[in-house]
Amino acid sequence: MLTNWTYKKRLSIIFRRTSFLREYRDLLGNLKETQPRYLRTNKHDLYTEYVYSIPLGKVLTESLEKAIVEAFDCVCRVKGAGGRLYVRIYKYLLPDKVDYRAVTEYSKSVSSNVKYSVPIGLSIDNFIFHDFDKIPHMTVAGATRQGKTVFLKQMITYLLENYPEHIRLYLIDLKGGLEFGRYADLKQTINVASNATETRQLLEEVQRNMIHDMKYYRERGYTNVVDTPIKRRTFVIVDEAAQLAPEPYMEQNEKEELGYCQATLSEITRIGGALGYRLIFATQYPTADTLPRQIKQNADAKVSFRLTTEVASRVALDEQGAEKLATPGRAIYRTIEAVEVQAPYISDKESEERLAKFNVKEGLQHDDTSRDEVPGPDDDDPFQT
Ligand SMILES: Nc1ncnc2c1ncn2[C@@H]1O[C@H](COP(=O)(O)OP(=O)(O)O)[C@@H](O)[C@H]1O
Ligand SMILES: [Mg+2]
């Protein structure tokens, strides 16, 4: 561990090398440059924070942040606010594994009335949760074997364990259905697709439901599900979504099928959000073809595990960083700000055990969740009688 003095000294060298300096006039009236003014050190259980005043007219740049972060062999966060520069040097590193159970313990300990929130992971400060009623859609990127599928599974498990009566799932798993097949018999799962044709059929069903719901909302003057008494939320979760990108060598009808799938997923992000539809779109290669622009623009939450290049990171997160993530399960979660987290790990066995009580083979019916709230296209409308 470096001493306090060395931290300040290193910061001072960095300020000089990156010209993050303030000006003053010496006795002879010559313009000189000197360090930003050091104000104080704040000690905290998890970190020590050095506070400086920011030289007038200077802005915090990516290169200054990068220089500071790279100068210390520990977790370090740099923030500018209200004319102050805060450099936090953390005492601990993020762990390489965070158990799903630790998250459930944590969420029991904090009383929260936030609905439809799911854990994203442990940051250096605390557990981070995502609220799907605030930000309805999410993209997930990451090179192969970095933790995308585990992440989706822990979200599914958490959603069903915590809001079992209100969640409907449409699962699209384009790696042959091997991963999501295990959730096919849960009462909350409406449909699972494992190839392009099944995905088209599944999305046609979602689209029909959306059109129906829209009419229902309009008749009642509802504009957004979050302002209505409706508790039902429909999650459309796609893993390996790059498989939906049309390729030049494909037959015309295949291209059209995939084009329809991508367009309908975009439509969910465009109009589905207000109707209680939430899209989670996971892909290995984020490019303009595999991550359609509309989906990216309408998904205000972005998660990325390690990617192979900085360019890919910029596509996935609109900033660099995902190429430097060190270990599986380590991710950057970006809404307005970006936070590094270690995502919760859950094994297939634990996920299955926790959800076994929802298995329809044990006597439950598919989709009996809040059915009466918004009748389906084929139901009698209880509100109309
Ligand atoms: N959150 C995590 N914490 C620790 N290890 C993880 C985590 N997520 C995944 N892993 C490890 O990485 C492997 C691959 O994860 P997976 O989710 O299947 O990757 P992907 O879907 O991105 O190809 C897992 O079998 C596990 O060993
Ligand atoms: Mg996977």
Side-chain angles (χ1 to χ4, degrees):
M1 200 78 184
L2 302 169
T3 63
N4 232 4
W5 182 83
T6 20
Y7 284 118
K8 281 201 256 171
K9 179 141 190 182
R10 282 192 187 189
L11 286 171
S12 125
I13 295 169
I14 293 165
F15 292 146
R16 185 157 44 77
R17 296 223 167 120
T18 56
S19 295
F20 196 72
L21 299 170
R22 63 191 164 92
E23 291 167 343
Y24 72 102
R25 285 191 193 278
D26 68 8
L27 289 174
L28 301 172
N30 300 319
L31 211 50
K32 292 270 174 76
E33 286 190 322
T34 186
Q35 295 289 311
R37 202 183 306 276
Y38 164 77
L39 297 175
R40 62 181 178 274
T41 302
N42 297 326
K43 298 242 177 213
H44 185 273
D45 286 348
L46 294 173
Y47 55 80
T48 307
E49 183 173 69
Y50 300 92
V51 188
Y52 294 82
S53 69
I54 293 180
L56 212 59
K58 293 276 180 192
V59 285
L60 212 58
T61 58
E62 216 174 78
S63 63
L64 175 71
E65 266 190 75
K66 215 169 146 190
I68 295 177
V69 170
E70 287 181 6
F72 303 105
D73 186 22
C74 56
V75 181
C76 165
R77 200 174 286 162
V78 184
K79 198 176 160 179
R84 301 275 183 271
L85 173 73
Y86 299 88
V87 180
R88 276 189 192 176
I89 311 276
Y90 286 84
K91 291 184 196 159
Y92 308 102
L93 297 176
L94 266 183
D96 286 352
K97 199 155 189 182
V98 172
D99 211 81
Y100 178 78
R101 245 162 295 159
V103 185
T104 54
E105 291 302 315
Y106 173 84
S107 59
K108 263 187 251 154
S109 73
V110 290
S111 66
S112 159
N113 50 14
V114 178
K115 281 271 166 150
Y116 318 110
S117 74
V118 297
I120 299 296
L122 180 66
S123 80
I124 197 75
D125 291 305
N126 49 25
F127 278 106
I128 306 280
F129 284 74
H130 174 80
D131 179 351
F132 274 103
D133 263 8
K134 275 209 189 114
I135 302 183
H137 313 293
M138 176 186 283
T139 61
V140 180
T144 184
R145 304 217 37 90
Q146 293 301 312
K148 295 180 298 299
T149 304
V150 169
F151 180 70
L152 299 178
K153 286 179 191 162
Q154 72 87 19
M155 281 205 282
I156 292 171
T157 310
Y158 192 90
L159 280 170
L160 297 192
E161 279 197 298
N162 288 276
Y163 322 105
E165 301 309 322
H166 306 312
I167 303 294
R168 290 198 302 186
L169 296 176
Y170 284 95
L171 303 175
I172 301 170
D173 170 3
L174 293 152
K175 254 197 177 166
L178 294 172
E179 299 283 8
F180 288 164
R182 71 188 81 246
Y183 301 124
D185 290 332
L186 301 180
K187 70 165 184 167
Q188 293 90 347
T189 306
I190 313 300
N191 206 340
V192 183
S194 57
N195 59 39
T197 304
E198 287 172 13
T199 303
R200 192 200 60 219
Q201 286 160 357
L202 181 152
L203 290 173
E204 279 168 359
E205 186 183 329
V206 173
Q207 196 177 35
R208 262 199 314 278
N209 286 338
M210 277 199 310
I211 292 167
H212 170 83
D213 290 359
M214 194 157 14
K215 182 161 163 275
Y216 184 88
Y217 273 50
R218 206 173 284 140
E219 282 163 9
R220 280 160 188 77
Y222 291 164
T223 52
N224 194 310
V225 68
V226 302
D227 304 318
T228 73
I230 298 168
K231 296 204 180 83
R232 188 172 78 190
R233 299 293 182 272
T234 305
F235 282 78
V236 179
I237 304 180
V238 194
D239 198 4
E240 299 292 347
Q243 302 289 329
L244 293 177
E247 299 280 356
Y249 63 81
M250 289 175 175
E251 303 273 345
Q252 190 57 26
N253 58 349
E254 204 177 347
K255 281 189 202 166
E256 279 168 13
E257 185 161 69
L258 296 179
Y260 168 82
C261 292
Q262 285 196 333
T264 309
L265 291 170
S266 294
E267 195 175 311
I268 295 173
T269 66
R270 221 162 9 93
I271 61 171
L275 303 168
Y277 291 75
R278 274 81 183 99
L279 177 71
I280 304 174
F281 185 94
T283 179
Q284 207 179 114
Y285 312 103
T287 66
D289 294 330
T290 60
L291 179 54
R293 196 165 47 91
Q294 266 210 347
I295 293 180
K296 190 180 154 181
Q297 277 172 354
N298 291 323
D300 287 326
K302 299 174 173 74
V303 173
S304 182
F305 294 87
R306 194 166 71 77
L307 287 165
T308 46
T309 64
E310 187 182 319
V311 174
S313 177
R314 289 192 189 276
V315 176
L317 295 170
D318 291 326
E319 63 183 35
Q320 53 93 36
E323 74 284 0
K324 293 207 200 79
L325 296 168
T327 166
R330 189 61 60 86
I332 294 174
Y333 166 64
R334 174 145 194 234
T335 50
I336 295 162
E337 286 191 352
V339 197
E340 186 171 334
V341 295
Q342 181 67 26
Y345 177 81
I346 193 166
S347 66
D348 288 339
K349 184 163 169 281
E350 182 169 0
S351 175
E352 278 170 28
E353 280 170 7
R354 284 176 176 268
L355 300 179
K357 59 184 174 217
F358 301 125
N359 216 302
V360 281
K361 287 196 182 127
E362 293 169 18
L364 295 164
Q365 292 291 304
H366 266 297
D367 186 27
D368 56 2
T369 54
S370 332
R371 209 177 202 341
D372 52 346
E373 284 192 317
V374 188
D378 308 322
D379 293 340
D380 294 331
D381 185 342
F383 294 95
Q384 293 295 344
T385 51

